[in-house]
């Protein structure tokens, strides 16, 4: 399961934070984005087993599937294309 995430949806956040910020603020903005990313990764690591025990495996993964659908929709409609643009 993690392998699919690593070659699919996972790298998108790292790609975005490396390209989306203007050069003037890129260093600080990327550091804030990375800390925020790792903070939420830590929170999810601790919440996941609790969530499994409270609501079960099926409902837990259904919730994550809904979040994934919203995420893909957000990326498709709101994330700007940066291909061919200068830094």
């Amino acid at each position: 399961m993690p392998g699919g995430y690593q070659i699919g949806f996972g790298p998108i956040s790292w790609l975005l934070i490396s390209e989306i910020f203007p050069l003037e603020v890129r260093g600080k903005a990327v550091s804030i984005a990375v800390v925020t990313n790792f903070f939420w990764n830590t929170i999810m690591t601790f919440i996941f087993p609790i969530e499994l025990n409270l609501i079960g495996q099926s409902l837990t993964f259904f919730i994550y599937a809904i979040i994934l659908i919203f995420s893909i929709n957000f990326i498709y409609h709101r994330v700007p294309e940066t291909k061919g643009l200068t830094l």
Side-chain angles (χ1 to χ4, degrees), residues 19 21-22 36 41 46 52 56 58 62 64-65 71 77:
E19 292 186 357
F21 299 114
T36 303
N41 284 340
F46 288 114
L52 281 177
S58 295
F62 178 74
Y64 289 131
S71 300
H77 291 289

Side-chain angles (χ1 to χ4, degrees), residues 6-7 12-14 16 23-24 34 36-37 49 58-59 70 77 81 83 85:
Q6 291 170 350
I7 63 169
I12 291 175
S13 61
W14 299 108
L16 278 176
L23 287 175
E24 301 83 36
V34 168
T36 303
N37 188 3
S58 295
L59 188 55
F70 280 112
H77 291 289
E81 176 62 62
K83 181 179 179 181
L85 298 177

Side-chain angles (χ1 to χ4, degrees), residues 7-70:
I7 63 169
F9 196 68
I12 291 175
S13 61
W14 299 108
L15 178 66
L16 278 176
I17 64 172
S18 69
E19 292 186 357
I20 205 83
F21 299 114
L23 287 175
E24 301 83 36
V25 297
R26 185 168 292 166
K28 289 181 182 180
V30 167
S31 65
I32 291 170
V34 168
V35 168
T36 303
N37 188 3
F38 280 116
F39 170 77
W40 287 109
N41 284 340
T42 303
I43 295 298
M44 291 308 299
T45 299
F46 288 114
I47 287 177
F48 183 72
I50 297 168
E51 191 175 17
L52 281 177
N53 288 332
L54 289 177
I55 63 175
Q57 188 175 9
S58 295
L59 188 55
T60 297
F61 285 101
F62 178 74
I63 291 169
Y64 289 131
I66 296 299
I67 293 170
L68 177 64
I69 289 168
F70 280 112

Side-chain angles (χ1 to χ4, degrees), residues 9 12 16 70-80:
F9 196 68
I12 291 175
L16 278 176
F70 280 112
S71 300
I72 290 171
N73 187 43
F74 174 80
I75 290 168
Y76 183 76
H77 291 289
R78 300 290 183 181
V79 175

